[in-house]
Amino acid sequence: MAEILRGGAGARASVVGILSPVADHIGLPVDKVNFLTCQFLALLLSYPLRSVLSPLKTSSNARLAYELFVGLFLCTFCFGYQIIHLIILSTTCLLILKYYPGRHYRHLIVFAFAMLYLAVTHIHRQVYDYGGYTMDISGPLMVMVQRVTSFSFSVHDGTIPDEKLSAVQKQRAVRTFPSVLTYYSYLMFFQAIMCGPFVFYDDYMGFIHGSKGPKKPSLPATLQQQNGVDSHGSVPEQTEPAPGGVVARKLLVSVVCGLVTLALAPSYPAESLTRPSFNEMSFIGKLWHMHVVLLMARMKYYFAWTMAEAVCHNAGLGFNGYDSSGKQRWDLIDNVDIKQVELSTNLKALIDAWNMGTAKWLRFIVYDRLTKWRTTAVLCVSSVWHGFYPGYYLMFINGGILGITARKMRHHFRWYFQTSKSKRVFYDIVTFIVTRMAIAYIASSFILLEITPSLATFRSVYFWGHVVSLPPFLLLSGRKHPQKPTSNHAQMTKNHTQTITTNHAQQTTPVPDDKKSL
């Protein structure tokens, strides 16, 4: 079993190492070549789900079986016999959900077992490949843990009366336990089995049955007619959403991020933060180097996540209706908003735009279920889910300190800089720069993994993040919100921030529970 988990010689020789000659020729590790090959195959194999296997042309079971078969094939091709861990996890959770007598605790047992199984996998990986970045089954296991735990909570919600559920819980509740085919298909559908994105069970079934169609109830009558929706709400066949444009755009973004990673990332590895040459730089030079190193690290995620989103969209998964102007929305399963991450002027907006699928998962199974210690519980679950490298926990702790400080500073001082255009521009420039510096400072321990090099990096930049954040963190704790600006100042701020001009559109649309940030 240990040999299988490591993807040892037997497993690699049979399937995983089949592309070794290609990997040697182009100079990439075989695990990366396998991943790229599987994602390319997934992109090609996703199109039939919008053509010959469209929900308008074939049965749901045929679509479910296709999803499951291709998912198993790609996982076996990429990870060999390590796929047994996906089968063990999913099957054990299925047995718990169906046969454990205490139905009120089944979801908690599934959650505990899934997290424990993933934790053991993380620990075992750290034993045999400490600090390595070789792709193994732990990545797909992380994705499956999200799905099987959210599904188990939805099954639990399906046993509770609607009046005791939140709007989101009611929407995602599973009232009838699905077939075995449906269960395994959801957990292993091929578009997102490798690296996500996270998809809720009801969204996946809406895609399978075709109910996530283009009809948008809030569309005006004229737009409904333009989009092929008649007065009775029926949707003709020709109105199926066409994702060609968004797929092309995300593929282009993915390719650019991949090329940047290949060209520049080798010059800015995480290890460069611990080299003597880094300590010889000026303070500003160190900050810039940290920023570029973390930017290159993010590029790898941008490449993988946008590629995965493109694969999903090519199958028709991710369609989220139409906006007020009648434009198609493909943001249902987005995992990252690159523009927001790179251009945000505060840490909260940056964090909200990063790994959004995981944030929705944590909100659904942890944050919205508790009344006390919710943020702490989210951080604990997120930490275990990521793994057990000390650098992860150092990042979460520092991120909490700097995040709380940034929020307090924003609440107490931002209003003053909204009273004139020049002040607003100055504030945005300063907060943009500080946010870039802060995320590089916080996340450096995430890529360095260990405590000693992380502390050495902090020391080389004089612990500036802690020095700047701890005094306001302590001094502003417990203080009330400052006096709001005068009515004239408030009106200027309002005029600056509003983007909708009609009186009807000036009302703010409530954000669904599962869209709110943590």
Side-chain angles (χ1 to χ4, degrees):
M1 183 63 71
E3 184 72 10
I4 291 176
L5 184 59
R6 289 194 296 269
R12 291 185 179 278
S14 60
V15 179
V16 181
I18 196 172
L19 294 179
S20 293
V22 178
D24 294 338
H25 179 72
I26 63 178
L28 284 177
V30 66
D31 59 309
K32 305 300 189 297
V33 174
N34 286 340
F35 174 80
L36 292 174
T37 302
C38 286
Q39 289 298 80
F40 179 73
L41 288 174
L43 182 66
L44 296 178
L45 295 172
S46 62
Y47 178 73
L49 288 164
R50 289 194 296 112
S51 54
V52 295
L53 294 175
S54 164
L56 300 174
K57 299 177 182 179
T58 190
S59 67
S60 297
N61 282 341
R63 287 166 61 81
L64 290 168
Y66 181 79
E67 290 275 18
L68 176 58
F69 174 79
V70 177
L72 289 172
F73 168 75
L74 293 181
C75 276
T76 303
F77 179 86
C78 195
F79 302 107
Y81 297 118
Q82 295 182 69
I83 193 176
I84 191 66
H85 294 284
L86 299 180
I87 297 174
I88 292 174
L89 176 61
S90 57
T91 302
T92 303
C93 292
L94 173 63
L95 295 175
I96 294 171
L97 288 172
K98 286 188 69 70
Y99 300 112
Y100 184 78
R103 66 183 182 90
H104 295 298
Y105 304 101
R106 292 174 184 171
H107 62 300
L108 298 177
I109 296 174
V110 167
F111 172 80
F113 172 77
M115 292 298 292
L116 178 62
Y117 198 99
L118 180 62
V120 172
T121 304
H122 281 317
I123 293 172
H124 192 276
R125 176 188 170 94
Q126 288 180 218
V127 170
Y128 79 83
D129 188 28
Y130 192 88
Y133 289 94
T134 302
M135 296 185 65
D136 67 356
I137 202 64
S138 60
L141 270 176
M142 293 172 71
V143 175
M144 181 172 284
V145 165
Q146 289 184 328
R147 292 183 196 162
V148 75
T149 53
S150 65
F151 173 77
S152 67
F153 276 81
S154 293
V155 171
H156 170 72
D157 292 340
T159 65
I160 298 176
D162 285 349
E163 58 269 17
K164 295 183 179 181
L165 300 174
S166 68
V168 173
Q169 291 168 355
K170 191 185 308 180
Q171 170 194 341
R172 305 202 183 280
V174 177
R175 301 296 181 183
T176 303
F177 201 89
S179 66
V180 173
L181 172 62
T182 302
Y183 172 81
Y184 281 107
S185 179
Y186 168 62
L187 295 185
M188 300 186 189
F189 70 94
F190 70 92
Q191 298 97 322
I193 188 61
M194 296 294 176
C195 60
F198 169 66
V199 180
F200 282 105
Y201 174 78
D202 63 299
D203 290 332
Y204 177 70
M205 294 310 297
F207 156 71
I208 290 294
H209 294 299
S211 59
K212 287 289 181 180
K215 183 177 68 173
K216 188 73 172 178
S218 61
L219 282 175
T222 54
L223 285 177
Q224 288 195 12
Q225 293 173 2
Q226 292 172 10
N227 293 312
V229 182
D230 62 26
S231 58
H232 300 289
S234 62
V235 185
E237 181 176 340
Q238 64 268 22
T239 62
E240 269 195 286
V246 69
V247 170
R249 178 174 60 82
K250 291 198 173 184
L251 284 177
L252 177 61
V253 171
S254 180
V255 169
V256 170
C257 292
L259 292 176
V260 170
T261 300
L262 289 174
L264 299 180
S267 301
Y268 295 92
E271 297 78 18
S272 65
L273 299 178
T274 63
R275 294 172 181 169
S277 57
F278 177 74
N279 293 322
E280 295 171 0
M281 296 179 183
S282 65
F283 178 71
I284 299 299
K286 291 176 183 177
L287 296 180
W288 173 253
H289 187 82
M290 292 176 68
H291 167 69
V292 176
V293 168
L294 269 296
L295 176 62
M296 291 301 104
R298 292 196 298 273
M299 283 290 171
K300 300 175 185 177
Y301 289 95
Y302 293 158
F303 164 74
W305 285 346
T306 53
M307 169 68 79
E309 290 171 9
V311 172
C312 290
H313 297 335
N314 199 40
L317 177 59
F319 180 73
N320 200 22
Y322 293 92
D323 62 18
S324 58
S325 63
K327 184 179 178 181
Q328 291 185 4
R329 294 174 55 197
W330 288 89
D331 57 358
L332 182 66
I333 59 172
D334 281 2
N335 207 34
V336 63
D337 184 340
I338 298 177
K339 181 179 178 181
Q340 181 75 341
V341 170
E342 298 302 331
L343 299 180
S344 58
T345 57
N346 62 83
L347 279 175
K348 180 182 182 301
L350 188 153
I351 294 171
D352 287 348
W354 177 263
N355 208 352
M356 296 184 289
T358 296
K360 289 191 289 186
W361 170 64
L362 291 169
R363 172 173 284 279
F364 180 70
I365 70 165
V366 181
Y367 191 84
D368 289 341
R369 309 277 170 171
L370 301 176
T371 57
K372 296 181 179 179
W373 303 101
R374 300 193 296 180
T375 301
T376 302
V378 165
L379 289 175
C380 290
V381 173
S382 179
S383 300
V384 174
W385 182 78
H386 278 92
F388 297 97
Y389 284 109
Y392 295 170
Y393 296 83
L394 194 60
M395 186 200 73
F396 289 129
I397 293 172
N398 291 333
I401 295 174
L402 267 69
I404 293 173
T405 301
R407 186 170 69 248
K408 291 180 180 294
M409 295 285 288
R410 182 179 177 85
H411 286 173
H412 281 79
F413 302 109
R414 180 178 180 273
W415 64 267
Y416 174 78
F417 294 93
Q418 304 305 304
T419 56
S420 68
K421 183 177 180 180
S422 59
K423 288 183 178 180
R424 287 193 297 271
V425 171
F426 173 78
Y427 179 86
D428 288 343
I429 292 174
V430 171
T431 52
F432 170 79
I433 295 173
V434 172
T435 300
R436 307 277 78 72
M437 294 167 55
I439 195 61
Y441 182 83
I442 295 169
S444 59
S445 60
F446 189 90
I447 62 174
L448 289 170
L449 302 179
E450 297 181 359
I451 293 289
T452 301
S454 298
L455 294 179
T457 301
F458 293 155
R459 184 170 59 252
S460 69
V461 291
Y462 312 109
F463 291 93
W464 78 265
H466 294 85
V467 170
V468 170
S469 63
L470 283 177
F473 178 83
L474 298 174
L475 294 174
L476 297 179
S477 297
R479 292 191 61 179
K480 295 182 179 180
H481 195 281
Q483 181 68 34
K484 292 183 178 180
T486 63
S487 58
N488 289 337
H489 289 168
Q491 185 62 40
M492 292 175 64
T493 302
K494 181 178 179 181
N495 292 338
H496 170 68
T497 57
Q498 285 181 337
T499 57
I500 302 175
T501 57
T502 63
N503 292 332
H504 175 72
Q506 285 175 357
Q507 299 176 356
T508 303
T509 304
V511 180
D513 289 349
D514 64 333
K515 297 290 185 182
K516 295 177 182 177
S517 67
L518 296 174

